[in-house]
């Protein structure tokens, strides 16, 4: 009983090069947002699936260097994401209380090393 969902996304990136002796180095700052409506219908009982609607806020920073020799590019990226799960209520008549509320948040981040040879 899943339904098709439309996921609007918006994001911004600012890129620039450093000046002076570091002119072969560039950086990027990134911010983004998306709203994820759950494809799951309202459940009559509890479920192990994360079926809440969600607001996702993302960000990141990249630093890249362009050496002169065989290695064309080397960079490091850092990203983070905060996911706010919108409150959702379930009814499970076999439980007391019969209404179960699910909400919360998820936070994760990481690094990536990239290179072009």
């Amino acid at each position: 009983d899943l339904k098709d969902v439309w996921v609007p996304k918006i994001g911004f990136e600012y890129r620039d090069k450093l000046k002076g002796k570091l002119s072969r180095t560039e950086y990027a700052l990134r911010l983004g947002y998306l709203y994820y409506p759950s494809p799951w219908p309202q459940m009559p009982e509890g479920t192990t699936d994360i079926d809440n609607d969600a607001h996702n806020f993302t960000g990141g920073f990249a630093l890249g260097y362009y050496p002169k020799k065989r290695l064309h590019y080397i960079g490091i990226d850092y990203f983070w994401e905060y996911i706010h799960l919108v409150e959702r209520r379930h009814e499970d008549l076999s439980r007391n209380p019969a209404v179960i509320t699910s909400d919360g948040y998820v936070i994760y981040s990481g690094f990536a090393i990239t290179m072009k040879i």
Side-chain angles (χ1 to χ4, degrees):
D1 292 336
L2 295 179
K3 62 181 183 198
D4 291 333
V5 295
W6 183 70
V7 181
K9 298 179 182 181
I10 186 166
F12 300 96
E13 179 178 82
Y14 176 79
R15 298 179 80 79
D16 200 2
K17 289 194 176 220
L18 299 177
K19 309 291 186 236
K21 292 182 180 180
L22 298 174
S23 64
R24 299 174 72 84
T25 305
E26 71 175 21
Y27 66 94
L29 301 171
R30 301 178 183 111
L31 291 173
Y33 169 80
L34 71 91
Y35 175 72
Y36 176 77
S38 175
W40 293 92
Q42 194 74 14
M43 297 291 180
E45 296 181 14
T47 177
T48 57
D49 297 309
I50 297 177
D51 61 348
N52 301 62
D53 297 343
H55 296 277
N56 294 39
F57 301 91
T58 61
F61 176 82
L63 189 62
Y65 180 69
Y66 294 88
K68 292 181 181 180
K69 299 199 177 183
R70 289 188 295 181
L71 187 63
H72 298 288
Y73 173 85
I74 186 165
I76 186 165
D77 288 32
Y78 168 75
F79 70 91
W80 60 265
E81 184 166 7
Y82 171 84
I83 304 170
H84 175 78
L85 302 175
V86 178
E87 183 177 293
R88 192 164 205 191
R89 299 168 66 88
H90 309 281
E91 288 185 20
D92 185 350
L93 300 179
S94 67
R95 300 181 75 171
N96 186 14
V99 176
I100 303 164
T101 302
S102 65
D103 65 355
Y105 61 90
V106 179
I107 299 173
Y108 64 91
S109 65
F111 286 93
I113 297 174
T114 57
M115 63 180 105
K116 184 177 178 184
I117 299 176

